[in-house]
Structures are given as structure tokens and as C-alpha cells.
Amino acid sequence: MTTPATTSAQFVKLINQGFADLKSRDMKPVPVAFLGSEGSFTCDAAKKYFGDAGQPIIPKGYPSFESVFKAVSSGDVYAGVVPIESTWSGSFARCYDSLLRHKNVSIAGEVSVLDAHCLCALRGSSKADIRIVHTHPDMFEQCSGFLEKLGRKGEVDLDLDLVSEIDSATACAKVAKLNDKKRAVICSPSAAKLHNLQVIESGVANDANIASRYIVVGRELNAKYGGKSLTETKAKECSKEPFQIEALKKELGASTEDATNGGSRSGTLKSTIAVAMHNEAQGLFKVLSCFALRGINVTKLDSRPASSVLGTILDDSLHWEYVFFIDFEPRNEKVVQTVVANIREYTASVRVLGVYMANLNKGKVRPSQFLDLDVFPS
């Protein structure tokens, strides 16, 4: 169980989101685990996050959330990158499950990326040729409007087959290998380029501006890679009481106002916690009041059945008991300690899953030309 004292310790190690630490390293490539295979959207997100920090990486693809977290937990890799939510399909439950199971792994950063969903096929193929589409199941949901129109010609149903793959990049590799012009894949432009496929149509998602949020996870201390956590550098300078927000913001090149006001902008301090509540009236109200009474902005509230195979923070959980996940914007270290201590009074268990800097690009939602809004009842 995480105590306020260990929360404080985690805070000073996770606060800088990796940028100061990465820039101070010798810049040798470090292995970074990601969900999927080379060319997947998650691989692109990993390259963006560490590329922005000027840190070269050796991307290593893994087939599941659990396998990524195991690689990070065991020290086989320096960090891991996994998707946690999409603006269209919502949260990824298995990501939260893995965060709960691996107690020595914390969120050290985040990155949001616009997902450029494209329909790609063999060179020389045309849209009219396509009868089979391969991709990850979530992509089918995110591109349902386009696929509905692709599978019909007037009133005629063309019997479009949808084939699920482990990720979009793997789907690319399969389509390229099968060498069949009737097959296409929904993927990123980078995956299409990697497998020498042509982009037949771009922007095929229901939200033409669809984005996903990815978290960067690391061990609290990873001796295998220099004995430092992903965000440990300059912890001593940041651990004074009270926490020196001004020095932190100067290090990150952002304004103090960004760290003390709400809005989930880049440079805003952010924390994620998991809470298991007692089954009693006003339980959630009491937890949320811990934030409201202090003027703390809660940016996300999600829940997960506590009885899932991985997703529990209780020793004896029952069906239809829930773990709540809360993202909020603390102003400093002392706020995190105080809020967690206060929440503990009203709950069965609390765990801090990470304290890091927000890194979200907020684009506007743009319904694509393919999405028929009439199919979604009001």
C-alpha cells in the first residue's frame, strides 16, 4: 500500500517527466518497450516522446499490455509506452489492469498524438478492388463510418470482410505478404511506408482529428540502466520543502502559471491515483470532495471492476466492486500528500500510479465526411 511518505518519494523521482534526466544522459540509445510492432501508432508515439527529449531509443515491440509492463518491471527495458485512451473509443481497461498489477512501475510521462488513419493497400490497387480489410479491432470501431460506406455500393452490400490483427503494423505486414489487391489495411502512414504499401485514402476515422493518449511508464529505480529512474535526475534540488515549482518550471522551460492553474496543458503538473472505496452511500462524493474543497482540478474519472483478473488493489475483491481512477492537477508535492492522506480516510485502499507533467495537444473534434451521425441516436 502506498503511504503519503512514499508518495512524496515517488513525486520527486517522477516529476520531471524524463526530459531533464534524458538530456543529462550520455545519449546512448536505450531500449524502450511499446505495444505492437514497428510502424504501429504506439511505436510512433514512443519515437515522438523520446525524440522530443533528444534521447535515441531502440524500440522493442511487445504483443500485449502485460508483456510491456513485465519488461519494464523486470528491468529488461528502460521504459515502456502504451496507449491509455482514445478520443473515440475511450479508455483501455487492460492498461489500467497492468498499472495495478505491477506495483514497481509508475507513470512517468504522457504524450498525445493525432492518429492519421489511412486505408492502404498494394501499389496499383484501387478503392474499388477492396473486399477484405485488416487492422486492430479498435481501428474498426474508430473507422466504422468509412467502413460502412466502403462495404456498400448504392443499396448493394459488398460483403466486406473485416480481419482483426494484433496491431495495425502487423496487419500491414500480412497484407504485403499476401500480395492480394483485394486486401487493404487501416494503419498509419509510417507503417504503410515501412511495408511499401500505398495510401489509398487518408483521414478515414470517424473523427478526422482523432487522437490517442499514451503513457510512458518506468521503474522507480532501474539499476540496469545507470541506476537512475526515468525521472530521477535533479531529485535533490526538487525535494526541498515546500516543493520548488519555480525551479522545476525553469528546468522544463514552461511558465509557473501553467503549473498552478487548471486545464491539462503541456507543463501542468498531473497525478493519477487508483481508489477502492467502501460500499457505502456518498463514498464517491466524499472522495471528490477532497479535491473540490482544495480547489484542485480533476481532469478524468474512470472506473474498472475490481474483480478483473489483473485489475484489483484489494486482497479479497468481489464481483461488481470497483476501482476508480482519478487524474488531477496538484499544485505541488504537499498537495499530493495531503489529498492522498485525506482520501485514505474514506476508502479501502489508495495507490498513486504516477506524478508527471501533462503533455496533451488539444485539437478540435472534426466529424469525418464518412460518418453518418444519423446512425447514432440522440
Side-chain angles (χ1 to χ4, degrees):
M1 180 179 293
T2 303
T3 65
T6 57
T7 298
S8 175
Q10 288 175 345
F11 183 92
V12 297
K13 290 177 179 176
L14 298 177
I15 187 65
N16 284 340
Q17 196 196 8
F19 285 105
D21 180 31
L22 291 170
K23 289 178 181 178
S24 69
R25 294 172 66 87
D26 56 11
M27 292 306 170
K28 292 180 180 179
V30 293
V32 173
F34 66 91
L35 180 65
S37 55
E38 182 75 19
S40 67
F41 287 100
T42 309
C43 181
D44 290 347
K47 291 178 178 178
K48 173 176 172 53
Y49 180 88
F50 287 95
D52 287 348
Q55 170 63 48
I57 65 172
I58 304 170
K60 300 181 68 175
Y62 288 80
S64 65
F65 285 99
E66 261 302 286
S67 58
V68 171
F69 276 81
K70 284 180 179 178
V72 175
S73 178
S74 65
D76 288 342
V77 295
Y78 178 65
V81 179
V82 290
I84 194 167
E85 65 178 330
S86 161
T87 55
W88 181 261
S89 52
S91 299
F92 298 109
R94 291 303 173 206
C95 182
Y96 283 112
D97 287 348
S98 295
L99 276 169
L100 292 182
R101 180 170 186 174
H102 297 275
K103 297 180 181 180
N104 67 331
V105 177
S106 299
I107 303 173
E110 70 175 3
V111 59
S112 65
V113 181
L114 292 178
D115 297 332
H117 290 56
C118 303
L119 181 74
C120 305
L122 295 174
R123 296 192 177 279
S125 301
S126 69
K127 191 174 175 180
D129 295 330
I130 305 306
R131 293 294 179 272
I132 306 170
V133 179
H134 299 248
T135 197
H136 188 276
D138 287 334
M139 300 293 179
F140 289 134
E141 182 180 349
Q142 294 168 11
C143 303
S144 58
F146 171 78
L147 292 170
E148 176 72 20
K149 287 179 169 57
L150 182 65
R152 297 187 67 83
K153 186 174 182 179
E155 297 300 318
V156 180
D157 191 336
L158 300 179
D159 293 325
L160 188 69
D161 289 333
L162 305 181
V163 181
S164 296
E165 306 288 355
I166 188 173
D167 63 68
S168 57
T170 299
C172 272
K174 180 175 284 189
V175 168
K177 183 178 180 179
L178 291 172
N179 197 31
D180 181 356
K181 289 188 176 182
K182 296 193 299 294
R183 297 178 184 270
V185 57
I186 295 175
C187 63
S188 68
S190 61
K193 182 177 180 181
L194 181 66
H195 295 285
N196 197 32
L197 300 178
Q198 74 173 26
V199 175
I200 293 179
E201 189 143 9
S202 299
V204 300
N206 296 334
D207 174 4
N209 222 18
I210 191 170
S212 293
R213 182 165 72 98
Y214 302 84
I215 55 171
V216 181
V217 294
R219 291 179 67 185
E220 187 172 350
L221 188 67
N222 194 333
K224 190 171 182 179
Y225 298 102
K228 295 182 179 181
S229 72
L230 184 62
T231 51
E232 190 181 9
T233 295
K234 301 196 177 180
K236 291 183 180 179
E237 290 91 327
C238 295
S239 60
K240 299 173 183 177
E241 188 67 35
F243 182 72
Q244 299 297 306
I245 270 289
E246 191 69 54
L248 167 68
K249 302 313 295 177
K250 183 178 180 181
E251 180 68 37
L252 295 176
S255 66
T256 305
E257 287 75 13
D258 283 343
T260 56
N261 295 328
S264 286
R265 297 169 301 279
S266 294
T268 303
L269 195 61
K270 189 173 182 179
S271 181
T272 299
I273 63 174
V275 179
M277 294 187 298
H278 300 296
N279 186 14
E280 62 182 16
Q282 301 181 347
L284 182 57
F285 170 81
K286 292 175 182 177
V287 169
L288 293 179
S289 69
C290 297
F291 300 99
L293 294 174
R294 294 176 176 84
I296 298 171
N297 186 29
V298 172
T299 60
K300 184 180 180 182
L301 176 64
D302 211 340
S303 64
R304 180 91 178 101
S307 54
S308 67
V309 175
L310 303 179
T312 182
I313 52 177
L314 299 174
D315 292 331
D316 298 306
S317 59
L318 302 174
H319 285 156
W320 314 124
E321 291 182 339
Y322 288 85
V323 175
F324 285 84
F325 300 91
I326 304 173
D327 288 356
F328 64 99
E329 295 175 340
R331 288 178 291 277
N332 51 49
E333 175 191 6
K334 195 169 184 178
V335 169
V336 178
Q337 295 181 42
T338 303
V339 169
V340 169
N342 195 180
I343 290 175
R344 201 178 301 282
E345 297 176 28
Y346 306 117
T347 58
S349 182
V350 183
R351 185 182 302 167
V352 177
L353 300 179
V355 185
Y356 49 101
M357 301 302 293
N359 186 22
L360 300 181
N361 297 316
K362 290 191 174 182
K364 284 190 175 182
V365 175
R366 289 194 299 113
S368 83
Q369 58 179 315
F370 308 110
L371 183 60
D372 182 3
L373 295 177
D374 291 337
V375 303
F376 296 95
S378 58

